[in-house]
Amino acid sequence: MEVGADMLSLLLYADDIVLIAPDKVKLQKMMDIVAEYAEQWRFELNPKKSEVVVFCAKGGPRKLRWRLGKHFVETVPSYKYLGIELTRRLSWRPYLKRIYTKARRNMVKALAMGITGGYMSAKLANIIWMSVVRSILEYGCEVWGDRSLEDFESLQVEMGKRILRCSSRTNSAVVRGELGWETVKARRDEMRLRYWAKLTKMGPERMARKVYDLGRTKLLSSLERGEAPEPGWCVYTRSLLIELGLEEVWSSGVVPASWLGTVREKIHEREEKAWRQEVEESSKLRTYRHLHEVLEPAPYLECYYRLGLIELVKLRGGTNRLRIEQGRYYGLEASQRTCQVCSSSTVEDESHFVLDCPAYEALRSEMWVSLTPLTGKSRAAYEGQEKITTLAELIGDIASKGATRVVMKFIVRAMGVRKKILREKGLLWERK
């Protein structure tokens, strides 16, 4: 690998030694020098941990024999260095497959710690996700993180559903919105731009800076000639900065002191916009779009209530047992999904269930009595607002943990009453 007039030929890290040569003759000579040095200073080289990779786009030379002192060294298609597989064709696929498998294995272990049964708060479960699962998916992403990996995103959504203990049919936008999670790729983009800032501040004598400068020079030359640049680290970094409206920083190469905060703000703005659009485009999230408008953790997650969390997430996310949701599976139009608990002609949606249905009035009155001293607002004050505003406060935006628990308790008890009434009427809606 040539960088300007220099050639990168040796990498040293702890007890690891990497030799890099442009051809087999030079590489064998370097291996001989290492073997002679080891013999002179009386330390041993482990031939079982020593391997050679011939990097090339097509099939490499075969039947090459390498000597490391008295031992022969094998030629292999890939080599693991500092935790990352370097393949003959410089493909990230084996490495990405390995870290995905490891992250999933860690997720299963984390779920067994109490997340699956709901015996751990969402806040603590979120910390575990970031520390023992997501961190695995991010190792070295400053280098390889330019690609979109659907399996990584699916793993995050799966973990989120387990934390919220919601239905497998819950929209991924709801899962990320409730937990305030951006996409996994957003984190990779942020870490890349952090690393880019470090590169620009390195001295020109540093090898990493030389490699970066070479890539940047090639990119700029291609742009000046009006040619499409070859895919590479600098190409994606530049396109990412342009996407975030930071092209001027790329052009000047001068990173401001507030860079970390700026990058965090820009990426969050991009993610929130995309998330909001996804929510708006889903007809199933007719209520959710009014309940949660920003990509931040829902306030109710601060309150731990094992049963209440399940019912509240279902109610907010559109995967509840109300007829407005279940009626779709029986081919009913929205206007036909009326409440069968109170036998009215009103559509049984979230607002009707929480605020209006007379079947739960006794429980609702108890809820209002308990809420008044906690929130400082009477039932009349809430009912003076529009229904959707009242609903948003009741099932999502009440900051007090005590008040949130009161609402959760009402929802759990009301759902129990609903089930009992429908069973008695022989109208219990169960999905076939």
Side-chain angles (χ1 to χ4, degrees):
M1 178 181 180
E2 296 184 2
V3 182
D6 303 319
M7 186 180 75
L8 181 62
S9 58
L10 182 65
L11 295 175
L12 301 174
Y13 186 85
D15 61 344
D16 283 331
I17 302 174
V18 175
L19 305 176
I20 303 175
D23 57 61
K24 61 181 182 180
V25 176
K26 291 182 179 180
L27 179 59
Q28 185 58 66
K29 185 175 181 180
M30 293 171 71
M31 294 171 68
D32 293 340
I33 293 174
V34 170
E36 291 174 7
Y37 184 88
E39 183 177 359
Q40 179 182 354
W41 293 99
R42 298 183 181 180
F43 63 84
E44 294 183 359
L45 298 172
N46 190 339
K48 294 183 180 180
K49 293 185 178 181
S50 301
E51 296 171 322
V52 174
V53 178
V54 179
F55 296 98
C56 54
K58 299 181 180 180
R62 300 179 180 180
K63 298 181 180 180
L64 292 177
R65 294 176 63 85
W66 310 90
R67 291 190 65 91
L68 185 62
K70 300 178 181 179
H71 304 279
F72 287 100
V73 176
E74 294 183 2
T75 301
V76 295
S78 66
Y79 186 77
K80 188 175 180 180
Y81 180 63
L82 300 183
I84 295 181
E85 282 84 358
L86 301 174
T87 68
R88 178 169 59 85
R89 297 188 180 183
L90 297 178
S91 169
W92 294 112
R93 188 174 300 174
Y95 170 68
L96 297 178
K97 181 178 180 180
R98 180 175 64 82
I99 63 172
Y100 172 79
T101 302
K102 183 177 180 180
R104 175 166 286 281
R105 184 167 59 246
N106 282 11
M107 184 185 78
V108 172
K109 293 178 180 178
L111 294 176
M113 295 170 64
I115 297 176
T116 298
Y119 299 105
M120 184 183 297
S121 68
K123 186 175 182 180
L124 179 56
N126 190 22
I127 294 174
I128 292 177
W129 151 256
M130 291 187 292
S131 58
V132 305
V133 183
R134 193 185 74 176
S135 58
I136 301 297
L137 300 176
E138 295 174 351
Y139 183 73
C141 68
E142 296 89 343
V143 179
W144 56 262
D146 56 335
R147 59 208 69 227
S148 296
L149 302 168
E150 293 301 324
D151 48 352
F152 283 29
E153 302 295 344
S154 298
L155 184 67
Q156 175 175 254
V157 172
E158 183 181 345
M159 181 72 173
K161 289 179 180 179
R162 297 297 188 90
I163 292 175
L164 296 174
R165 300 181 66 212
C166 59
S167 167
S168 60
R169 305 190 309 274
T170 303
N171 192 297
S172 60
V174 172
V175 176
R176 294 198 296 110
E178 297 297 84
L179 294 167
W181 284 357
E182 298 171 354
T183 59
V184 181
K185 191 173 186 306
R187 174 71 175 171
R188 298 200 298 267
D189 286 345
E190 181 178 357
M191 294 180 72
R192 171 180 283 251
L193 294 184
R194 287 184 175 189
Y195 181 63
W196 175 74
K198 291 182 180 180
L199 283 175
T200 61
K201 296 177 182 178
M202 287 182 183
E205 75 285 352
R206 297 280 298 276
M207 188 58 67
R209 176 60 187 269
K210 290 181 179 181
V211 173
Y212 165 70
D213 287 342
L214 179 62
R216 180 185 173 93
T217 300
K218 288 183 177 180
L219 170 58
L220 294 177
S221 297
S222 298
L223 294 175
E224 289 176 0
R225 294 192 302 268
E227 301 174 356
E230 296 182 7
W233 194 90
C234 285
V235 173
Y236 179 76
T237 302
R238 175 178 175 271
S239 64
L240 177 58
L241 289 167
I242 293 175
E243 179 187 355
L244 298 176
L246 299 170
E247 184 177 6
E248 184 179 345
V249 182
W250 163 266
S251 301
S252 65
V254 179
V255 179
S258 59
W259 181 247
L260 297 184
T262 300
V263 169
R264 176 90 291 277
E265 179 183 350
K266 291 288 186 179
I267 288 182
H268 184 73
E269 182 181 325
R270 181 193 71 180
E271 292 294 302
E272 188 171 71
K273 182 179 179 181
W275 167 78
R276 189 66 194 170
Q277 182 177 352
E278 187 178 350
V279 172
E280 293 290 344
E281 291 176 352
S282 175
S283 60
K284 189 174 182 178
L285 305 184
R286 62 200 171 275
T287 302
Y288 186 73
R289 63 175 61 106
H290 299 291
L291 302 178
H292 203 67
E293 298 181 350
V294 293
L295 189 55
E296 296 177 356
Y300 72 86
L301 294 178
E302 293 289 331
C303 174
Y304 174 72
Y305 181 14
R306 183 167 172 264
L307 295 178
L309 176 66
I310 302 173
E311 295 297 342
L312 189 51
V313 172
K314 288 179 179 179
L315 197 65
R316 286 167 58 90
T319 52
N320 49 67
R321 294 186 293 275
L322 301 182
R323 210 171 179 209
I324 185 64
E325 169 61 19
Q326 297 297 317
R328 73 175 71 242
Y329 303 117
Y330 297 88
L332 297 178
E333 297 294 332
S335 60
Q336 297 176 314
R337 303 170 195 174
T338 55
C339 181
Q340 294 183 314
V341 177
C342 61
S343 299
S344 68
S345 58
T346 306
V347 174
E348 188 187 29
D349 57 11
E350 296 83 0
S351 179
H352 176 75
F353 172 78
V354 176
L355 302 176
D356 300 324
C357 188
Y360 321 117
E361 184 56 34
L363 297 176
R364 192 178 292 112
S365 297
E366 290 182 28
M367 177 186 71
W368 288 118
V369 170
S370 300
L371 282 178
T372 299
L374 295 172
T375 63
K377 296 172 67 175
S378 65
R379 179 174 184 174
Y382 276 103
E383 294 183 338
Q385 306 172 21
E386 290 190 16
K387 282 187 177 182
I388 194 64
T389 305
T390 301
L391 186 67
E393 288 194 37
L394 286 181
I395 66 172
D397 293 336
I398 292 181
S400 166
K401 292 183 180 180
T404 300
R405 182 177 288 273
V406 169
V407 176
M408 285 182 172
K409 185 177 180 180
F410 161 75
I411 293 172
V412 171
R413 294 174 67 188
M415 280 295 180
V417 170
R418 178 182 182 277
K419 185 175 182 179
K420 181 179 179 181
I421 293 175
L422 291 179
R423 181 178 286 115
E424 291 174 349
K425 291 184 175 183
L427 297 171
L428 186 61
W429 284 77
E430 296 180 351
R431 189 181 181 189
K432 296 180 181 179

